[in-house]
Amino acid sequence: MLVIVKEKYEEVSKEAAKLIAAKIRKKPDLVLGLATGSSPLGIYKELIRMHIEEGLDFSKITTFNLDEYIGLPPTHNQSYHYFMKQNLFDHINVDERFVHVPHGMAKDIDKFCSWYEKRIKDAGGIDLQILGIGSNGHIAFNEPGSSLGSRTRIKTLTEKTRLDNARFFADMDEVPKYAITMGVGTIMDSKEIVLIANGKGKANAVKAAAEGPITAMCPASIIQMHQRAYLFADKDASELLIGDYVDNWESVIFE
Ligand code: F6R
């Protein structure tokens, strides 16, 4: 895993966005995996800026989101559909036909999950997956203990994750208990992975993910096995790392 550290979150986001934009320019029909949550917001802001000011073209890309709460319709203001529209899709020229977010209201969840996996495969696989990391080491909604070979499926959210997300809901009872999530195996099949982490609250998870033993108790740790995974972190999130890191990825990543 290549670790890229910058002082501040804004710089981290800009660097990661620069990498993603370069990939889109190189392959205009890139298949891009997307995450929600606070971590990728800076990347999305920068990609929007590049679209408006530099004409970065998203019209041919295909997107697949990592996850969605079960029981929330796409119009619910805490659904990940809604989040993506608000924070990215409504501000760029992505073609809605090529956008995929798991459907939290699907009647047959298992069937939906199989369809999602097939859809990713039919698109040629995910070229680049953006990931955040939970303070407990989860990626997408693959909580500690998730199978490292898992595929898209329904997962029960841990109390820790529900508590982390409670701030977005009126009260704890409203926080969904289940989600559809890409599996760890699905994520690992992506050709490249950009993991973004910021803040002291992520330092332990980042340490476990980048330098800890590979274990289902920290699902993000499997990324150590990926050939093309890049961790973009700010100083706070990377403060416990003892290994080498770089602050300029361009010479390292581009062939
Ligand atoms: C979101 C997702 C989650 C978040 C993680 C970190 O689609 O899959 O795994 O990436 O919970 O969330 P933030 O970025 O809000 O700290």
Side-chain angles (χ1 to χ4, degrees):
M1 185 188 309
L2 182 71
V3 183
I4 301 117
V5 174
K6 292 273 171 189
E7 186 73 32
K8 295 214 160 57
Y9 172 67
E10 290 70 29
E11 298 166 72
V12 173
S13 302
K14 279 191 182 156
E15 284 304 306
K18 210 199 279 179
L19 167 67
I20 295 160
K23 296 285 174 186
I24 294 173
R25 288 195 186 99
K26 198 167 167 202
K27 185 178 183 224
D29 60 348
L30 193 85
V31 180
L32 184 60
L34 297 169
T36 58
S38 55
S39 307
L41 281 176
I43 294 181
Y44 296 158
K45 206 173 138 200
E46 182 62 9
L47 289 176
I48 293 167
R49 189 199 63 73
M50 288 178 181
H51 171 64
I52 295 169
E53 292 176 13
E54 298 166 14
L56 182 62
D57 182 20
F58 294 88
S59 64
K60 294 190 180 67
I61 69 163
T62 296
T63 70
F64 287 94
N65 262 82
L66 287 169
D67 42 18
E68 176 61 290
Y69 291 122
I70 288 182
L72 300 190
T75 49
H76 190 288
N77 67 5
Q78 289 307 326
S79 75
Y80 287 173
H81 274 88
Y82 189 89
F83 175 101
M84 289 309 304
K85 272 177 77 64
Q86 291 282 308
N87 293 298
L88 186 64
F89 298 152
D90 281 355
H91 311 284
I92 57 172
N93 64 335
V94 69
D95 185 332
E96 267 184 33
R97 292 171 305 164
F98 304 152
V99 163
H100 306 85
V101 182
H103 211 299
M105 300 296 279
K107 279 204 187 81
D108 185 332
I109 302 281
D110 286 345
K111 210 165 155 187
F112 177 84
C113 293
S114 305
W115 176 84
Y116 205 69
E117 284 279 330
K118 183 170 181 312
R119 193 82 181 173
I120 293 173
K121 208 167 158 207
D122 291 348
I126 294 171
D127 290 308
L128 187 152
Q129 177 66 55
I130 300 173
L131 289 180
I133 181 169
S135 57
N136 61 2
H138 75 210
I139 44 173
F141 274 126
N142 297 287
E143 301 285 14
S146 294
S147 158
L148 297 179
S150 51
R151 313 302 307 184
T152 303
R153 67 210 184 293
I154 181 171
K155 280 295 283 181
T156 306
L157 307 186
T158 60
E159 275 312 290
K160 172 95 182 87
T161 295
R162 290 187 70 231
L163 278 171
D164 279 355
N165 292 347
R167 64 187 192 276
F168 301 117
F169 293 85
D171 65 71
M172 195 60 195
D173 288 344
E174 276 188 29
V175 185
K177 294 191 171 70
Y178 305 99
I180 294 175
T181 181
M182 275 187 207
V184 182
T186 319
I187 293 167
M188 284 295 284
D189 283 349
S190 309
K191 290 164 201 131
E192 290 181 290
I193 292 177
V194 166
L195 173 61
I196 178 140
N198 66 292
K200 282 190 191 298
K202 296 290 173 69
N204 281 312
V206 164
K207 169 80 180 163
E211 296 177 350
I214 294 170
T215 164
M217 293 319 288
C218 175
S221 62
I222 190 68
I223 293 170
Q224 292 174 38
M225 298 294 288
H226 199 284
Q227 296 298 307
R228 287 172 162 261
Y230 321 121
L231 164 63
F232 285 83
D234 69 0
K235 272 269 180 256
D236 285 343
S238 59
E239 70 181 5
L240 301 177
L241 296 181
I242 54 166
D244 286 343
Y245 55 77
V246 299
D247 68 356
N248 180 0
W249 49 267
E250 283 170 81
S251 54
V252 193
I253 295 178
F254 273 90
E255 65 268 18

